[in-house]
Amino acid sequence: MKKNKAHDEDQQWFMEHIGAELQKMDDAYERSEPELGPFESFVASHKQELRKKLWRDLALFWLIAAMLLLGMLWILERDWIWFAALQLLVAISAISYIGFVHVWKGRKQWKNN
């Protein structure tokens, strides 16, 4: 019982001397919750912009793919030797590019020796 009484006295002393100041600080620095509406509109507009960009990029991809395919079919129809040479050139270029990038990245990395 003495412990409870001592605790109550401590609590009362704390509230009288420090509690009011703490309440003033809480009131002065209270953070308000942001409203959800502006965030929802921001997300909706961002999603709409991304959707537009996706469709634009997809249309550009299909246009370029169609042009490449038609060009390859045109070359194949004209002369299959030119078609084979173009295929060989593209394959060698791709392998060279991959090798160059691999070697170039290897130079930039730190060595642990």
Side-chain angles (χ1 to χ4, degrees):
M1 189 98 165
K2 282 188 177 182
K3 251 187 182 178
N4 262 350
K5 188 172 186 179
H7 183 275
D8 289 341
E9 288 174 1
D10 289 342
Q11 182 87 16
Q12 185 179 1
W13 180 89
F14 181 81
M15 290 306 288
E16 288 174 1
H17 292 91
I18 299 174
E21 296 301 319
L22 285 176
Q23 187 62 40
K24 285 180 188 175
M25 282 181 51
D26 285 345
D27 292 341
Y29 297 106
E30 187 174 333
R31 292 182 184 169
S32 61
E33 289 184 17
E35 293 184 23
L36 193 57
F39 288 116
E40 286 178 340
S41 65
F42 172 74
V43 169
S45 66
H46 187 66
K47 283 173 74 174
Q48 186 177 12
E49 289 173 16
L50 284 177
R51 194 175 301 121
K52 283 181 183 179
K53 185 179 179 206
L54 173 70
W55 281 109
R56 186 188 70 225
D57 291 348
L58 190 61
L60 184 62
F61 168 77
W62 280 110
L63 180 66
I64 292 171
M67 289 172 53
L68 286 173
L69 184 63
L70 289 174
M72 294 300 286
L73 290 175
W74 181 75
I75 291 174
L76 179 62
E77 182 182 282
R78 290 287 182 192
D79 192 4
W80 67 271
I81 294 175
W82 282 108
F83 178 76
L86 183 62
Q87 290 293 318
L88 187 62
L89 177 69
V90 168
I92 291 172
S93 299
I95 292 170
S96 301
Y97 175 75
I98 291 171
F100 176 74
V101 168
H102 181 69
V103 168
W104 186 258
K105 280 187 177 182
R107 281 192 208 159
K108 289 184 178 182
Q109 292 177 352
W110 290 93
K111 304 288 185 195
N112 290 337
N113 290 336

